[in-house]
Structures are given as C-alpha cells and as structure tokens.
C-alpha cells in the first residue's frame, strides 16, 4: 500500500489505532452501582421524613439497615460502587428507627397516662 494515504488521526486518546485497525486503549470500565445500596439510602431518607408515623418509620428503618448490611457484603465481594449510599442508608435507618421508637414510646406513655386518669 502506498504511503500517500494515511487514515485520519482521532484527537480522542481512547481511539488511537494500531496497524491492525484495532483500538489500542479501551475506555475505563466503571463498576456498576449496587442497587441495594440505592434502595437502603432511599428507605433511610423516607424513614427520616416519616419519623412522626412510628409504625411506618420503624419498618422502613429496619429495611434500610438490612439492605445496607447486605449491600456492604455485595460491594466488598463484587467490587461495585455505592458504599457511600449504603453508609447513608445505614445511618439514616438507625437514626430514624431510634427516633421512631422514642416517639412510639412517648405515644404509649401518653395513652396509658390518659387511660389511668379517666375512670370511664
């Protein structure tokens, strides 16, 4: 083949080509984000937003804590992204569950105190 024709050179460093017309450098592969860590973060945030509904809040908090624990194991095992979201879900889940249980205990104490004061 003649040296008169040369293929146009790309300015993108990932598209440099060798003699066999194959790419020299592949774009970096980004590991996927763990879905359970996203779910735990969403449930943890919902847990904090619904803290004044103690039944729902406690259930969402427990689910957030469980999902974040599972996602930590999967992230470590598979090398996925999402550790920060799992931490956020764990922290929000714990804080919201504790506040939900405190509010639930206060409601129970008020109901018991009111029932003792009314003889009817």
């Amino acid at each position: 083949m003649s040296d008169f024709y040369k293929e146009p050179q790309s300015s993108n460093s990932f598209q440099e080509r060798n003699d066999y017309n194959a790419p020299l450098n592949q774009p970096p592969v980004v590991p996927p984000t763990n879905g359970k860590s996203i779910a735990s973060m969403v449930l943890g945030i919902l847990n904090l937003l619904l803290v004044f509904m103690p039944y729902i809040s406690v259930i969402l908090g427990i689910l957030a804590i469980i999902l974040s624990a599972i996602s930590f194991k999967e992230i470590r095992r598979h090398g996925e992204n999402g550790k920060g979201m799992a931490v956020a879900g764990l922290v929000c889940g714990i804080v919201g569950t504790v506040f939900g249980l405190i509010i639930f205990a206060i409601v129970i104490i008020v109901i018991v105190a009111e029932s003792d004061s009314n003889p009817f």
Side-chain angles (χ1 to χ4, degrees):
M1 186 172 214
S2 169
D3 287 333
F4 294 119
Y5 176 75
K6 291 199 178 218
E7 291 187 29
Q9 296 295 323
S10 172
S11 62
N12 188 353
S13 63
F14 291 113
Q15 298 301 321
E16 294 176 8
R17 305 226 174 245
N18 58 15
D19 291 340
Y20 299 106
N21 204 17
L24 288 175
N25 299 327
Q26 297 293 326
V29 176
V30 179
T33 303
N34 190 296
K36 290 182 184 74
S37 64
I38 296 171
S40 71
M41 183 181 68
V42 169
L43 289 175
I45 292 171
L46 283 175
N47 179 20
L48 287 176
L49 291 175
L50 300 174
V51 75
F52 292 108
M53 297 179 192
Y55 300 116
I56 297 172
S57 176
V58 170
I59 292 170
L60 290 177
I62 291 171
L63 287 175
I65 293 168
I66 291 170
L67 283 176
S68 63
I70 293 170
S71 68
F72 278 132
K73 291 178 184 176
E74 289 181 358
I75 288 170
R76 194 174 325 120
R77 186 179 311 133
H78 301 296
E80 297 173 324
N81 286 335
K83 186 174 181 181
M85 287 185 273
V87 169
L90 181 67
V91 170
C92 291
I94 290 172
V95 169
T97 302
V98 168
F99 283 150
L101 289 174
I102 289 172
I103 290 173
F104 183 68
I106 290 172
V107 168
I108 296 296
I109 290 170
V110 168
I111 290 173
V112 169
E114 288 296 320
S115 68
D116 288 342
S117 66
N118 289 333
F120 300 110

